[in-house]
Amino acid sequence: MAANTAPIFTKIGDVQWTTAAMTVANNTYNLATGTAYLAFSADSTNGGFVQRIRFKAGGANNASATVCRVFINNGGATGTTSNNILWDEISLPTTTASATAALAVYELPMNIALPAGYAIYCVVATAPNTGGWYATVIGGKYRSEEQTSELQSLA
């Protein structure tokens, strides 16, 4: 069997994010219980690529220190342990809202291709005081040639 020697690239940029601030504590290491926040869904037919995840505390609020755990899910129910893997963790510090200084952004590099239907979920281990944390995923979707032609004809 011949190996694929040609590199692949995403055909369209894909930026996704948690639709709400991560504020509910979930100290799980397997994603089988508690509140999890969907941060990214790979294209259901061709998969996707995740370059990195950016974490930012909610704007005008303070957030307490926590750890954010990032899971890869195979598209199945998150309540089934075998559908999830803990990919990585990132420490997120206490933040204090300010009118004169920007809050820092924290990044977790991933650089992985995800199969069709896979997803990335995040949990925070301790509940932030009032603000919460947002996760923004920077990546791309793989598209078939037909899908790319359709998109180009619409432009």
Side-chain angles (χ1 to χ4, degrees):
M1 174 181 232
N4 180 2
T5 58
I8 60 172
F9 301 96
T10 57
K11 299 242 181 198
I12 187 169
D14 191 13
V15 179
Q16 297 180 38
W17 53 86
T18 52
T19 57
M22 295 184 284
T23 58
V24 178
N26 184 349
N27 220 358
T28 185
Y29 281 90
N30 60 21
L31 203 59
T33 59
T35 301
Y37 297 89
L38 177 64
F40 185 85
S41 294
D43 184 79
S44 61
T45 303
N46 299 302
F49 182 80
V50 174
Q51 183 187 59
R52 67 186 183 274
I53 305 176
R54 293 172 49 96
F55 297 92
K56 181 117 174 130
N61 298 307
N62 301 329
S64 54
T66 189
V67 62
C68 182
R69 295 189 178 99
V70 177
F71 294 86
I72 297 174
N73 171 272
N74 67 6
T78 57
T80 303
T81 304
S82 60
N83 290 338
N84 315 298
I85 186 69
L86 175 60
W87 173 260
D88 208 347
E89 300 173 297
I90 185 169
S91 296
L92 300 172
T94 300
T95 63
T96 303
S98 170
T100 59
L103 293 173
V105 173
Y106 301 88
E107 290 196 356
L108 179 65
M110 291 190 72
N111 292 317
I112 59 169
L114 291 178
Y118 274 48
I120 293 177
Y121 286 88
C122 297
V123 302
V124 288
T126 56
N129 292 339
T130 57
W133 289 90
Y134 291 91
T136 304
V137 179
I138 310 298
K141 287 190 185 267
Y142 299 116
R143 301 276 183 164
S144 68
E145 290 303 319
E146 294 113 21
Q147 289 171 318
T148 302
S149 296
E150 288 173 19
L151 290 173
Q152 290 171 342
S153 68
L154 296 173

